[in-house]
């Protein structure tokens, strides 16, 4: 685990991009877990820039996104697939068949969720997972209070999440999301990058190998021995392991 204490969002994005680029250089066939949201837009912009400057190659990469709204088509500007196409996929050399997304128009939600998990297992799990925290601390669309054993499923979104995500028109009240259990397995299998907002809140988080990168205040409690959090100024709580700090 590495802890990066960075002074602003620009440095956060630069460091996150470097980590992702290095991982792809080491493993050109990387299985990459992706997230959405306002926080991720400058990250994807940075990765696109690296690609255009021939410093990164996505041709053998396979991706899995964390979540998608129910009832929205990929062409709907409110959907996460539209977001990913606009901000990332359409600007790099990833193969379309290597892009994996939960189907928000599915008529058989249970099968869709099980098939998604099965596909992740078949490729050997996610090597590098990008994660962010929502305004109310949700991870993917796992709202606060979600079970640690939760798997890929249909969820009802909180009013707070709906309001914050409705800048392009009101979003649906339900979505499909990978669960905390799925995400935890991805983290334990490989690496991960957390990208924090101005305020980052971690509650009872268990983190495997990887990096926690944040700018802004940090509030923590019930943090596991392997967890590291950072901010500006950094606040490091008890039970932090003696891992490299940068």
């Amino acid at each position: 685990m590495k802890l990066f204490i960075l002074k602003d969002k620009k440095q956060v994005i630069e460091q996150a991009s470097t980590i992702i680029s290095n991982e792809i250089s080491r493993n050109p066939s990387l299985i990459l877990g992706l997230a959405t949201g306002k926080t991720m837009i400058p990250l994807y912009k940075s990765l696109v820039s690296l690609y255009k400057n021939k410093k990164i190659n996505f041709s053998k990469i396979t991706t899995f996104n964390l979540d998608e709204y129910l009832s929205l088509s990929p062409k709907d500007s409110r959907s996460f697939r539209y977001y990913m196409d606009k901000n990332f996929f359409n600007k790099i050399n990833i193969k379309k068949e290597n892009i994996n997304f939960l189907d928000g128009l599915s008529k058989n939600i249970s099968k869709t969720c099980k098939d998604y998990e099965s596909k992740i297992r078949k490729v050997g799990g996610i090597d590098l997972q990008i994660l962010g925290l929502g305004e109310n601390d949700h991870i993917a669309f796992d709202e606060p209070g979600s079970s640690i054993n939760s798997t890929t499923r249909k969820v009802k979104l909180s009013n707070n999440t709906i309001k914050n995500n409705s800048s392009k028109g009101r979003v649906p009240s339900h979505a499909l999301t990978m669960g905390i259990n799925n995400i935890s397995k991805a983290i334990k299998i490989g690496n991960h990058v957390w990208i924090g907002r101005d305020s980052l809140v971690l509650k009872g988080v268990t983190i495997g190998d990887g990096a926690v990168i944040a700018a802004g205040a940090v509030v923590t409690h019930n943090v596991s021995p392997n967890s590291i959090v950072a901010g500006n100024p950094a606040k490091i709580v008890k039970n932090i392991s003696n891992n490299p700090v940068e």
Side-chain angles (χ1 to χ4, degrees), residues 204-217:
V205 177
T206 302
I207 301 175
D209 297 331
V212 178
I213 307 173

Side-chain angles (χ1 to χ4, degrees), residues 33-44 64-69 78-85 87-89 101 129-134 138-141 165 176 195 197:
L34 299 175
T36 53
K38 294 178 182 178
T39 312
M40 299 299 160
I41 290 177
L43 173 64
Y44 292 136
F64 288 86
N65 266 74
L66 289 167
D67 44 18
E68 180 59 287
Y69 291 106
R78 296 168 295 168
S79 75
F80 285 158
R81 178 56 193 263
Y82 182 93
Y83 166 105
M84 291 301 305
D85 285 342
N87 293 295
F88 194 46
F89 295 148
F101 241 92
Q129 177 66 59
I130 313 303
L131 293 169
L133 294 178
H138 68 257
I139 300 173
F141 269 143
N165 290 6
L176 299 181
I195 299 182
R197 295 174 178 274

